[in-house]
Structures are given as structure tokens and as C-alpha cells.
Amino acid sequence: MASEDEISLLVIVVDVNPIWWGQQGQRQPEFTLSKCLDAVMVMANSHLVMTRTNKLAIIAIFIIWSFIFFSHFFDSRDEPSLGSSDGKYELLSVANDLIAEEIKNLMARTQVKGHQTDTLLAGSLAKSLCCILKKCLAGQDMKSRILVIKAAEDCALQYMNFMNVIFAAQKQNVLIDACVLDSDSGLLQQACDITGGLYLKIPQKIALAQYLLWVFLPDADQRSQLVLPPPVHVDYRAACFCHRNLIEIGYVCSVCLSIFCNFSPICTTCETAFKIPLPQMIKPKKKKLKAAN
Amino acid sequence: MAALSEEVLLVVKKVRQRKQDGTLYLMTERIAWGPEGKDRFTVSHLYADIRCQKISPEGKAKIQLQLVLHTGESTTFHFANESTAMKDRDAAKDLLQQLLPKFKKKANKELEEKNRMLQEDPVLFQLYKDLVVSQVISAEEFWANRLKLSSTDHFSSNNNKQEVGISAAFLADIRPQTDGCNGLRYNLTTDIIESIFRTYPAVKQKYAENVPHNLTEKDFWTRFFQSHYFHRDRINTGLQDLFSECAKQDEKGLKSMVVQGVKNPMVDLLSLEDKTLDEGYGSLTGPSTSNSSKTVKENSNSAIIKRFNHHSAMVLAAGLRKMDTSSDQASETSSTDGNSRDSDTFQPPIKKVKLQEAIEYEDFQNETGPKTIALKLKKFDRYSHGPVPLQSHHYSTSQDIISSVSCIQEEMSCYKPCLTQVMSSSAASSAITALSPGGALMQTGAHQTVSQLVPVDIQSELKHLYTAAGELLRHFWSCFPVNTPFLEEKLISHLEEMIQAAYNKFHAWQMRRMMKKT
């Protein structure tokens, strides 16, 4: 049983990449961004209601040409002045209204610039870590976790930043859970493996709320007592520097540590020359030609 | 004789053994006896095997020699030559007496060595017990490898033993005590005697010459202490003394030392004196020693100092000199100065090194860290790619992008959260089945449902509690908003009681669980 003093902070990072969602709306009209946001709100409300001391923050990530994030921190101790219209717990209604409004604003402001369609995942994770840290430094003892709801595909350019963020999260004892809607994300698999969170790829998008409540609502202590989906096998193979193929056995330059799938006498990154002793060649014996008599 | 490759030290004819006539042969490593007319030994014993020899007492008619072996066996030889039996026997006995100790030591030493090894190494001891005592391999095989190692070790360790030096005050330590009636008593221990011999080989020579033929040891030492050789002031050298020769030899040695001079430039004081080029370019150094015009007192002082220096030099030299060159006594006094070694080693490069050592300190040098080569990378964008293989990127045309964005904008502009109809119950239940053990998502996990893990009575109790709590909560929430005083009253008193009762029940249950566990 969690003690009353423990504060549990949940940060939900929602991927609202308009291009992907727009295409999704055309592909599958029964599950659109509105439905997704509804499910997220249900999850958020449940979390706030679980324990009085629970806190919530929501960050919507956006794509690369517009660095606008939306983030808000909801605390049960902030008692809003206005009452609710339908008898709902005020905090919940405030939260829901705020989320809806901000998303609408965000979408209205967006303008198409350029061709890049990637989601800014590393940046948003970094921002959520900063948010967590800010609250931690305020002197409260908190257990925090981040739930990432991912729609679009991975962006290979963000790899380094992403890994840095993951290790920072690990240091801070922050769990990263991932709920993936469309295609498997290797980066998020690694993130969940390293920080100790859960990774789940959902087979049915319309039942998103059920998955969120079942798998991602309990916090880390409670998860040990529940029967949850087992961890995914993460592919930790390295990619060779020349072809970007995933390899199991390769050659590593001892100077610059770059990985290659084939041996080459000169490392193309640092231009060091290497020699490997080749097996000795057996010289074929020359047969003496018999002089014709 | 077959196999007579050993050196024969003594042959005694007409020796009977077990009532048979034969010849006794004493060789370097064994004693053997062969019957007459035959060309092989019937009896052969290694000296190492012989524990001791016994001879028949003097008066007896039979002149016999008995050899007792370590194993307890004994062999008796009867010397039957009429005329020379006694002589033969004595000759054999003497030779054996000389030879046996050598081999005895070896045997003993080996045995000792073996014992020591077994005691020191419990693993070896266990191995020995397992293999040799239970007769898996013989003792010889066991020790064959090991003894070789140990013998070489022993040898090297013998060589590495440090030589014991000589105390410089060994003569002073003798400390004569008054005898009571005007005499002096000198206590000489073997250590002191050894020190004297090592330091003053001349005295050793005299000792070897005179003792024990001419003088007894006591006499020799008495004369030694009486002689003025020993005393401080050696002025009266006229007396016919055993040791006057020694005194002369000492003088010679001292002179040769002075002539050799000091080779080590670091310690050479004479080189620090002023040297003159001509008149007016520095002072002339007068002759260093001039014995003629000294007073008696000066002479005696210089004699004391000379002796003192000589004694110190001899002590130092004796320490440097090795024990095994004691045969070469004549040339010893000339080569006894300590800096002969230095002179050999003082070549110019070594001198330079020594000078540098003396003037430089390591700590004061500039620190030169290890030389490093900088890493030059040509293409470092490769490192920033993760193990994300190049995939065919989903290319969206700009038309696609624009249309999707506009689509979503439309949608979001009229977005209103509708949280009561997030999903259908069928979707939810299919999701639940997928997540239950055995479902689509749980394939590799545990295949036991919670209902299988938890016992039935606890499950039913939990169900009852859950439904009861749900009912109470329903009542609670239905009171809000508080419009009527009835609701208010219900809330404040009634429900509170109920909730308190429920909580007590839960508390009791928890207590019970904890008692069960402990």
C-alpha cells in the first residue's frame, strides 16, 4: 500500500503529429485524434482520482517545424474558483477543459513549412524530464513516470539525443512507458528496457482507453503484483557504419571504435592502417617439364 | 670385474663373509665383497645405506667388522689374513669412518628435506599419503621430480646467504678484567677469534704456523696480548716478538694502501688541495709527511692514528674479501683497501652518472607526461546514427501533407471531449481478453490467471468486499450535490458510520493476514 505521503507524478506525452493523424483520419474514420484524446483524458482523470496526492502533467509533442509544446501541470491542491457544470470533481473538469482548449489552439496555429514530417520525440521527453525535475527540486519526494503515446514512426536523426534523454531518465529513476499505435519503435523499446517501464504495441486502436487503464494506470510498485504483458525482446545489435546493416559479429577499429561489417585495411573514419596476418599461401610446386627425347 | 667403473679406494684380501673367503672392496660410493674366484659381488652396500660400523673388541681372536644398515640388517666381515688382519681391519675402519659421514649427511639431509617439504605443504602431504602410502606410485617416483627442485633451491639459497660482517669494535669488546692480583683476564670467544683472523690474516698465519706444534692456544693468545703489536703504541719494535713480523707486514700494507690512493673522485680529499703553477700563482704545498722533526709525542700520536686507520681499513677489507679466497694469504694485505673496487668501476660514463645522481633530484624535474597522438576523425556523423537501419522512408508528397493538416485542423476545431462514449464494451472486452493470461499479448508470459494463483476463499471474500464498497461509494456520490438537509444528514452521520465500519472490517482482515504470515 502506498503511503499517503508519496506523490506519484504521471507525465503523458501524446504524439499529435497532424500529418499522421490526418492520414489516419482518412484511413480509419472510427479512430481519430479526438477519440485518442478522449482516451487520454480518461486515463488522466483516473490517475488523478486514484490518490489525492497524485499529480499529472500533459505534454503534447509536435513536429519538427513548429516547436510549440503544450504542457500543463495539474495538482489537486490548486482549487479552482469556478465550479463545474455537471457535478464533476473540479480538478477533472478543469483538466479536461484545458486540454481540449490547448489542443484546439495548437492545431489552429499550425502552418505547413517544409517537408519534414517527423515527431520531435527526444525534445518532448527532455521537456518532460525538466518538468519532473522542477517539481522534485521544489522539495517533494516524488515517484515519476512518463507515458508516451506514439503514433508516427521513429526518426533516425534523433538517436543521440534520445539516448541521452533515456540515460538521464534512468539516472533520475523515472520510468518510461510506451504505448505504440502504429509501427514498432526500436528507440522506445530501448527506453522502456533501460528505465524499467512497459512497452506495448496495441492491436486495436479503438480500445486504446482499455489498454491504457489496464496496463499503464498502475504505478511501478503495484505492477509487481499484477499479471501484465511480458517485456519485449529488444534488438540491441549494432549497425555497421558502412551500410547501416544490423550485424552480430563485426570489426571494430581500435582507434575510433567505429564498427564495420567487413575488414578493410584502412579505417574510413580515422584513416588508421591495419594489418591482419593472412594465412600462408602454399606455393604450388612447379613441375619440371620433361624434355622430349 | 664387470661394472667396475667406480674408483676403488681400498682392496682387502682374505676377508671372510659367511664362512666364505673373498675380497673386500671399498669404492667411492659403496662397499662390496666378492667371493674368491668369482667375478661378481655378492654383497654390496652403498655408504648411504650404512648406519654405522662396529668392530670387534681388541682382545678377541676374531677380527671382525660389522656394518649395520639403516634397515636393521647387518653384515659381518671377518679379516682372516694371519699377519695383517688387524691392520687391514683398521685401515678399512678408518676409511669407512671418513666416508660414512659424507654419505650419512647426504642421506639425512635428503630425509630431512623430504620431511620439511611434507610438513610445509599440506597439499603435498595429502598427495603423498594418497599416492605413496596406498602404493599407487612408489616413493622414489614421487620424490624423483620434487627433490631435484628442492636441491637446486637449497644450493642457490646457500649462495645467497649473506656473509656475516665484522664488528669494528671486536678488539675493544674483549674488555680485559682485572684478575684481582695485578693480572688481566681476557675473554676470547670463537667469534672474536674468527674476527681477528679475518681482519689480520698475518695473525692467522702465525697461528697456523705455531699452534699446536710450538705453542698451545692459550700461550699463543697470551703472547698476542702481551706483545706490543696489540698495544696502542707500537714504538718498541725491537723486542723479539712473534708478532714483530706482523707489525712489519702491517706497515707494508698500510704503505701500499696510501700509495694506491683514492680513486673515487667524490671522496678524494687530496684533489681538493691547492695546486701551484708557479710562484705567485697560489701557495706551494710543503711535503705532506716528514717524520724526522717530530717530537716523541707527535710520533706516538701519529702511530696511534696510523694504527687506527689501518685497523679500520682491515676491517672493511675483511668484509669485502670472500671466505673462499683464504688460501691466497700472501697477496691479501696489498689488496685490502676498500676502494680497489671503486677504481675498477670508475670509468668516465659511470662517473658522469654518479655526478648527475648527486646533483639532480627527480622531484624537481619538469613533469613530462606521456606523449599522445590526437585522434583525427573524418566522418563523425556516423556515430550519431543509431542502430536504426535505413528503411524506406514513408515519403509524403507536399499535397498529402497539406491535405492531412487541413483535415486535422477541421476536426480539432469542433472537438469536444465526450468521455462517456470513449469505446464500446465489445472493444473493451476483446482488449481484456487479449491482455489476460493466454491472450494475444500475453503469449510469452505467465500462463496462470489470477484466479488460479489466489485461493478461492480469498477470492470470494474479496468479491464481497468489493461489492459492498462499491455500494457504499454509490450512496456517497449520490448525495452530491448536497441539496437537502436529509442528504446532508445522511452524509455526515450515516455514511460516515458505514464507511468506518467498512474500514474496521478491512483492518481486521489485514491483521489476520499479517498474523498468518508471521
Side-chain angles (χ1 to χ4, degrees):
Chain A
M1 278 261 278
S3 66
E4 289 298 322
D5 309 350
E6 245 176 40
I7 301 170
S8 174
L9 171 63
L10 172 67
V11 181
I12 305 180
V13 178
V14 184
D15 177 6
V16 292
N17 189 336
I19 297 147
W20 190 88
W21 281 108
Q23 289 169 346
Q24 167 68 15
Q26 287 159 9
R27 283 192 296 253
Q28 206 184 356
E30 60 268 12
F31 185 72
T32 56
L33 183 57
S34 341
K35 287 280 182 197
C36 176
L37 286 170
D38 287 345
V40 167
M41 271 191 234
V42 165
M43 166 81 179
N45 293 348
S46 317
H47 175 80
L48 282 171
V49 168
M50 286 266 282
T51 314
R52 249 195 93 74
T53 55
N54 278 358
K55 295 189 195 337
L56 176 74
I58 297 213
I59 295 176
I61 52 176
F62 212 67
I63 51 179
I64 229 159
W65 16 266
S66 180
F67 300 111
I68 308 165
F69 295 105
F70 152 63
S71 70
H72 196 93
F73 187 74
F74 299 105
D75 192 345
S76 55
R77 288 178 302 177
D78 314 329
E79 295 292 336
S81 47
L82 38 98
S84 67
S85 54
D86 53 353
K88 202 157 46 176
Y89 179 31
E90 284 92 2
L91 182 61
L92 300 183
S93 53
V94 162
N96 295 347
D97 291 341
L98 204 59
I99 292 169
E101 205 181 303
E102 285 293 335
I103 291 282
K104 277 193 212 173
N105 289 340
L106 196 62
M107 285 301 171
R109 277 179 295 171
T110 181
Q111 285 172 356
V112 180
K113 289 182 210 153
H115 275 270
Q116 284 169 314
T117 60
D118 304 317
T119 41
L120 210 56
L121 186 56
S124 53
L125 279 178
K127 178 113 173 139
S128 29
L129 278 179
C130 293
C131 182
I132 292 171
L133 194 62
K134 194 165 87 172
K135 289 298 157 190
C136 279
L137 287 176
Q140 294 158 323
D141 175 34
M142 271 205 301
K143 293 182 112 175
S144 6
R145 62 188 204 271
I146 302 175
L147 170 62
V148 179
I149 298 174
K150 191 146 188 305
E153 289 124 12
D154 266 349
C155 172
L157 296 170
Q158 296 176 30
Y159 177 71
M160 287 302 274
N161 300 335
F162 195 80
M163 293 311 285
N164 287 336
V165 166
I166 293 174
F167 290 123
Q170 189 197 25
K171 270 277 161 63
Q172 294 280 321
N173 294 323
V174 174
L175 262 65
I176 298 181
D177 300 321
C179 182
V180 175
L181 299 177
D182 195 14
S183 47
D184 264 320
S185 159
L187 294 174
L188 277 174
Q189 279 179 353
Q190 283 194 35
C192 299
D193 194 40
I194 290 171
T195 54
L198 269 171
Y199 177 87
L200 188 66
K201 181 175 177 308
I202 296 185
Q204 286 174 294
K205 294 195 200 59
I206 37 176
L208 174 65
Q210 183 58 54
Y211 287 109
L212 288 177
L213 289 173
W214 185 276
V215 180
F216 297 107
L217 186 59
D219 60 15
D221 299 334
Q222 294 158 6
R223 280 179 203 178
S224 56
Q225 285 150 21
L226 301 170
V227 182
L228 292 172
V232 184
H233 172 76
V234 186
D235 189 358
Y236 276 119
R237 285 183 297 170
C240 72
F241 280 36
C242 32
H243 312 105
R244 301 270 295 280
N245 298 331
L246 294 175
I247 51 173
E248 274 143 17
I249 299 178
Y251 295 86
V252 178
C253 169
S254 51
V255 175
C256 62
L257 297 180
S258 44
I259 303 166
F260 299 103
C261 47
N262 283 320
F263 172 72
S264 69
I266 297 182
C267 167
T268 42
T269 320
C270 63
E271 301 196 345
T272 325
F274 289 101
K275 283 187 227 155
I276 280 191
L278 298 165
Q280 297 235 333
M281 296 276 290
I282 302 170
K283 290 186 190 155
K285 290 197 180 136
K286 291 186 187 162
K287 288 187 184 160
K288 287 190 185 160
L289 295 169
K290 282 187 188 167
N293 284 335
Chain B
M1 291 266 174
L4 252 187
S5 49
E6 302 158 40
E7 197 189 313
V8 180
L9 298 171
L10 184 65
V11 179
V12 185
K13 293 213 166 77
K14 293 218 179 136
V15 177
R16 288 172 72 102
Q17 201 256 348
R18 293 214 189 154
K19 309 229 163 73
Q20 252 192 327
D21 274 323
T23 324
L24 185 69
Y25 298 86
L26 278 98
M27 287 169 285
T28 43
E29 281 181 20
R30 57 186 182 131
I31 181 169
W33 179 89
E36 222 164 272
K38 297 235 176 93
D39 56 352
R40 53 172 183 82
F41 297 129
T42 34
V43 178
S44 161
H45 297 296
L46 288 171
Y47 293 134
D49 293 338
I50 300 175
R51 195 169 67 193
C52 64
Q53 58 168 335
K54 293 188 190 163
I55 51 172
S56 53
E58 295 289 322
K60 264 208 165 164
K62 255 185 169 182
I63 300 171
Q64 290 178 320
L65 179 78
Q66 190 186 50
L67 298 171
V68 184
L69 304 177
H70 284 299
T71 53
E73 283 174 34
S74 61
T75 319
T76 319
F77 299 105
H78 173 64
F79 292 82
N81 195 335
E82 291 90 39
S83 46
T84 54
M86 187 65 99
K87 231 174 143 191
D88 290 338
R89 204 261 320 263
D90 286 338
K93 176 196 102 183
D94 287 335
L95 194 57
L96 273 175
Q97 225 172 19
Q98 279 179 34
L99 293 168
L100 279 181
K102 283 193 220 164
F103 292 92
K104 206 176 200 177
K105 266 195 204 148
K106 266 198 198 158
N108 272 354
K109 216 181 188 182
E110 268 181 40
L111 214 63
E112 247 179 62
E113 191 61 32
K114 285 181 192 174
N115 274 337
R116 191 184 61 83
M117 277 173 71
L118 285 179
Q119 270 170 16
E120 276 175 10
D121 192 354
V123 177
L124 193 68
F125 187 54
Q126 188 61 37
L127 206 62
Y128 184 80
K129 267 202 286 191
D130 290 337
L131 295 173
V132 176
V133 175
S134 57
Q135 312 220 338
V136 177
I137 55 175
S138 65
E140 284 140 19
E141 279 173 28
F142 183 78
W143 290 113
N145 287 338
R146 287 187 175 79
L147 275 181
K148 263 189 221 161
L149 292 171
S150 67
S151 65
T152 48
D153 283 342
H154 216 65
F155 188 65
S156 58
S157 67
N158 265 333
N159 279 349
N160 291 343
K161 259 194 232 165
Q162 279 184 329
E163 307 246 327
V164 180
I166 304 174
S167 152
F170 67 86
L171 283 179
D173 281 341
I174 299 177
R175 250 176 254 136
Q177 301 159 338
T178 47
D179 213 352
C181 44
N182 240 8
L184 288 172
R185 204 183 150 80
Y186 290 85
N187 278 327
L188 276 180
T189 60
T190 37
D191 276 343
I192 296 177
I193 293 179
E194 202 197 313
S195 308
I196 295 177
F197 284 162
R198 277 173 74 182
T199 317
Y200 297 106
V203 175
K204 191 173 180 185
Q205 213 177 9
K206 286 282 175 191
Y207 183 84
E209 282 169 15
N210 292 320
V211 174
H213 318 293
N214 296 340
L215 300 163
T216 60
E217 213 173 320
K218 199 170 168 196
D219 280 336
F220 180 79
W221 289 116
T222 322
R223 288 247 198 139
F224 176 77
F225 287 116
Q226 280 174 346
S227 83
H228 287 283
Y229 176 72
F230 177 67
H231 288 284
R232 273 194 310 160
D233 33 351
R234 279 197 215 165
I235 307 176
N236 316 353
T237 50
L239 274 175
Q240 267 308 314
D241 208 348
L242 267 178
F243 300 99
S244 50
E245 269 185 46
C246 299
K248 287 195 190 121
Q249 265 187 342
D250 285 346
E251 287 272 340
K252 256 198 293 181
L254 199 62
K255 278 222 171 75
S256 70
M257 265 194 255
V258 170
V259 161
Q260 272 193 7
V262 180
K263 295 288 191 288
N264 184 350
M266 302 283 206
V267 187
D268 190 4
L269 292 175
L270 289 177
S271 63
L272 296 175
E273 285 179 355
D274 295 334
K275 295 192 171 65
T276 57
L277 295 173
D278 204 347
E279 271 196 40
Y281 289 97
S283 57
L284 267 172
T285 53
S288 44
T289 49
S290 49
N291 264 328
S292 46
S293 55
K294 279 195 181 162
T295 60
V296 172
K297 199 178 177 192
E298 270 182 22
N299 266 339
S300 68
N301 286 344
S302 75
I304 294 169
I305 292 171
K306 238 199 259 180
R307 276 204 64 200
F308 189 70
N309 288 338
H310 176 70
H311 174 80
S312 313
M314 297 295 274
V315 168
L316 281 176
L320 289 171
R321 204 187 310 137
K322 295 292 179 200
M323 297 281 273
D324 48 6
T325 59
S326 56
S327 54
D328 195 10
Q329 286 189 24
S331 58
E332 270 172 347
T333 44
S334 54
S335 63
T336 49
D337 55 337
N339 46 21
S340 61
R341 265 197 175 178
D342 282 345
S343 65
D344 293 336
T345 57
F346 250 72
Q347 306 301 321
I350 301 176
K351 176 175 170 184
K352 200 171 182 183
V353 168
K354 284 227 167 182
L355 274 172
Q356 276 217 308
E357 267 176 36
I359 57 178
E360 282 176 356
Y361 280 110
E362 248 179 66
D363 298 347
F364 291 156
Q365 306 291 350
N366 286 332
E367 279 194 41
T368 52
K371 278 195 184 156
T372 52
I373 304 173
L375 179 68
K376 281 177 245 170
L377 296 173
K378 299 289 169 185
K379 303 175 197 165
F380 36 79
D381 57 319
R382 288 172 163 188
Y383 293 97
S384 51
H385 292 143
V388 180
L390 281 170
Q391 286 158 338
S392 57
H393 213 67
H394 181 236
Y395 181 70
S396 322
T397 60
S398 34
Q399 189 57 44
D400 279 341
I401 294 173
I402 295 169
S403 64
S404 344
V405 172
S406 56
C407 190
I408 204 81
Q409 277 173 337
E410 255 181 62
E411 188 194 322
M412 281 293 118
S413 56
C414 51
Y415 167 62
K416 211 173 154 67
C418 175
L419 296 184
T420 51
Q421 287 163 13
V422 174
M423 61 180 168
S424 65
S425 54
S426 57
S429 50
S430 66
I432 292 176
T433 29
L435 285 170
S436 311
L441 294 169
M442 308 285 282
Q443 288 304 323
T444 52
H447 286 266
Q448 280 181 312
T449 57
V450 180
S451 55
Q452 291 165 345
L453 289 169
V454 179
V456 182
D457 53 346
I458 294 186
Q459 274 186 50
S460 56
E461 207 174 328
L462 198 64
K463 278 184 196 160
H464 295 320
L465 277 171
Y466 184 74
T467 37
E471 183 63 27
L472 278 176
L473 272 174
R474 197 178 67 77
H475 279 278
F476 181 72
W477 285 114
S478 66
C479 292
F480 292 95
V482 184
N483 295 329
T484 59
F486 166 68
L487 285 173
E488 202 180 323
E489 215 232 285
K490 183 179 175 185
L491 259 180
I492 292 171
S493 53
H494 228 63
L495 271 177
E496 208 180 305
E497 277 175 33
M498 285 197 280
I499 286 173
Q500 193 62 40
Y503 186 72
N504 289 343
K505 219 173 161 186
F506 171 70
H507 196 70
W509 180 84
Q510 204 178 25
M511 280 289 124
R512 237 186 321 140
R513 285 284 311 204
M514 285 187 29
M515 300 294 254
K516 261 194 213 168
K517 274 187 189 172
T518 55

